[in-house]
């Protein structure tokens, strides 16, 4: 009997453990939200009335593993948590901006050399057929961002100056809700002097929304690809060759292999990390650069073309994590600084490695008064 008793106790204890573990692993999420009232805060049903600048203290019944709070203020609305694109009528401004800075060269070698272009008709390059890609870019309907007369005319080899650098802006509102392509075409028409080094600085698309928020898309996220149609490898020095070999993936390559059939096929689509005449470098996040060359060098013809950019994109609204599985939370306070009506949303979850305990969403209307 003693043995049987011990066995029964063991079974009973194991059963309790299993039941307890099962409850722990599969407990559904439970949470109710209340409000602590005082002279500045009243609570009626699901509506809170509070004076501007006074904290609202929320209380919680239940102990979910995680709670996320959306205040309902701009940028923190639960209903916009998955929004990644603004409606056209909600966009106040959409603008392309950048600076152009020339080093070396002179007014004659700069004039007519640089074109920044925008199109909503471009279908992309093939990436393996140079002749086809040449026709594609040349036959596309592009819009020039600036007139050639607006380019800086006095290069400065050491730093940006008012005469060597100029800021450009281009309104993109007519392209809203469309995919656009941004391209830079470098094609000097005069090589009677040292060729300029072109630097395009801080290229961004800036959006401002009617809700007061905004978004900036940087050039590093444009997905630029080169199309090098005319370039000159005959005047490369040892430093240039080193950069070129690195871009080709073999820094120990013999010089004669730079002219191999295999590498010649790669050059039209090659980006470099460094300065080589006629080849684009985009490794610095805030700078697009192409080096010129010596007097009399072959006149380059090269493009830098973005991936399609959809205008009007935005970041989803974000909530604030106010509780995780290692914390307890009985109250939480938030202060609204502007009068208006907001929807405060609390999202609760239970979660562990076995079971997702479901999601509970609780909403309160917050009337903020003067």
């Amino acid at each position: 009997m003693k043995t049987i008793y011990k066995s029964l106790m063991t079974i009973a204890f194991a059963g309790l453990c299993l039941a307890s573990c099962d409850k722990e692993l599969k407990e559904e999420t439970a949470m109710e939200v209340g409000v602590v009232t005082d002279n500045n805060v009243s609570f009626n049903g699901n509506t809170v009335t509070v004076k501007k600048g006074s904290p609202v203290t929320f209380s919680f019944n239940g102990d979910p593993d995680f709670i996320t709070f959306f205040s309902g203020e701009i940028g923190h609305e639960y209903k916009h948590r998955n929004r990644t694109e603004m409606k056209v009528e909600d966009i106040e401004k959409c603008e392309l901006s950048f600076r152009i800075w020339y080093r070396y060269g002179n007014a004659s070698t700069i004039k007519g050399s640089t074109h920044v272009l925008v199109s909503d008709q471009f279908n992309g390059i093939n990436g393996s057929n140079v002749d086809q890609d040449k026709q594609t870019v040349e036959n596309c309907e592009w819009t020039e961002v600036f007139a050639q007369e607006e380019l800086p005319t006095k290069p400065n080899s050491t730093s940006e100056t008012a005469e060597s650098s100029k800021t450009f802006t281009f309104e993109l509102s007519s392209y809203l809700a469309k995919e656009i392509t941004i391209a830079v075409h470098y094609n000097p028409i005069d090589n009677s002097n040292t060729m300029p080094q072109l630097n395009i600085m801080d290229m961004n698309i800036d959006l401002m929304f009617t809700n007061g928020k905004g978004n900036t898309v940087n050039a590093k996220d444009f997905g630029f690809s080169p199309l090098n149609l005319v370039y000159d490898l005959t005047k490369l020095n040892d430093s240039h060759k080193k950069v070129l070999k690195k871009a080709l993936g073999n820094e120990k390559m013999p010089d004669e292999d730079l002219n191999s059939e295999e590498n010649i096929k790669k050059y039209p689509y090659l980006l470099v990390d460094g300065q080589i005449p006629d080849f684009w470098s985009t490794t610095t996040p805030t700078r697009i650069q192409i080096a010129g060359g010596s007097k009399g060098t072959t006149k380059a013809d090269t493009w830098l073309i973005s991936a399609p950019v959809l205008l009007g994109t935005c970041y989803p609204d974000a909530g604030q994590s106010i509780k995780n599985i290692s914390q307890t939370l009985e109250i939480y306070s938030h202060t609204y600084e502007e009068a208006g009506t907001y929807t405060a949303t609390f999202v609760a979850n239970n979660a562990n490695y076995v079971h997702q305990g479901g999601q509970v969403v609780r909403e309160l209307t917050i009337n903020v008064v003067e």
Side-chain angles (χ1 to χ4, degrees), residues 121-174:
Q121 305 295 318
F122 189 67
N123 294 319
I125 58 175
N126 177 284
S128 60
N129 187 322
V130 179
D131 292 335
Q132 178 182 319
D133 289 338
K134 182 177 186 293
Q135 289 185 12
T136 300
V137 296
E138 291 180 351
N139 293 337
C140 179
E141 184 178 334
W142 297 100
T143 298
E144 291 259 10
V145 169
F146 52 78
Q148 291 301 298
E149 294 75 21
E150 298 179 67
L151 288 171
T153 57
K154 294 185 178 180
N156 188 298
S157 60
T158 56
S159 61
E160 290 187 69
T161 64
E163 295 177 320
S164 69
S165 173
K166 186 169 182 179
T167 297
F168 294 92
T169 58
F170 183 72
E171 183 61 47
L172 294 171
S173 296
S174 61

Side-chain angles (χ1 to χ4, degrees), residues 192-205:
S192 62
N193 204 313
T194 302
M195 305 303 288
Q197 179 197 90
L198 167 65
N199 299 274
I200 299 178
M201 314 292 290
D202 297 322
M203 178 177 275
N204 299 311
I205 294 176

Side-chain angles (χ1 to χ4, degrees), residues 220-257:
K220 65 181 177 63
D221 299 317
F222 287 2
F224 278 119
S225 299
L227 179 60
N228 307 313
L229 298 175
V230 178
Y231 48 89
D232 188 354
L233 300 180
T234 64
K235 298 182 180 180
L236 299 184
N237 59 35
D238 289 342
S239 176
H240 295 150
K241 291 176 183 178
K242 184 177 180 180
V243 173
L244 191 59
K245 291 175 184 179
K246 181 180 179 181
L248 291 167
N250 183 1
E251 296 184 59
K252 297 182 179 180
M253 179 189 304
D255 286 358
E256 55 268 24
D257 286 357

Side-chain angles (χ1 to χ4, degrees), residues 234-291:
T234 64
K235 298 182 180 180
L236 299 184
N237 59 35
D238 289 342
S239 176
H240 295 150
K241 291 176 183 178
K242 184 177 180 180
V243 173
L244 191 59
K245 291 175 184 179
K246 181 180 179 181
L248 291 167
N250 183 1
E251 296 184 59
K252 297 182 179 180
M253 179 189 304
D255 286 358
E256 55 268 24
D257 286 357
L258 290 173
N259 293 312
S260 70
E261 183 178 348
E262 178 185 0
N263 286 327
I264 287 173
K265 290 180 180 178
K266 295 179 180 178
Y267 292 140
Y269 305 103
L270 191 68
L271 285 170
V272 300
D273 181 5
Q275 295 187 27
I276 304 178
D278 311 335
F279 286 87
W280 296 100
S281 174
T282 61
T283 50
T284 303
T286 58
R287 176 185 295 188
I288 297 167
Q289 184 181 82
I290 188 166

Side-chain angles (χ1 to χ4, degrees), residues 119 122-125 142 178-183 205 217 219-226 304-311:
S119 177
F122 189 67
N123 294 319
I125 58 175
W142 297 100
K178 298 178 181 179
E179 284 189 340
I180 66 167
T181 300
I182 299 168
I205 294 176
V217 185
K220 65 181 177 63
D221 299 317
F222 287 2
F224 278 119
S225 299
L304 191 66
I305 306 162
S306 78
V309 178
L310 178 63
L311 298 180

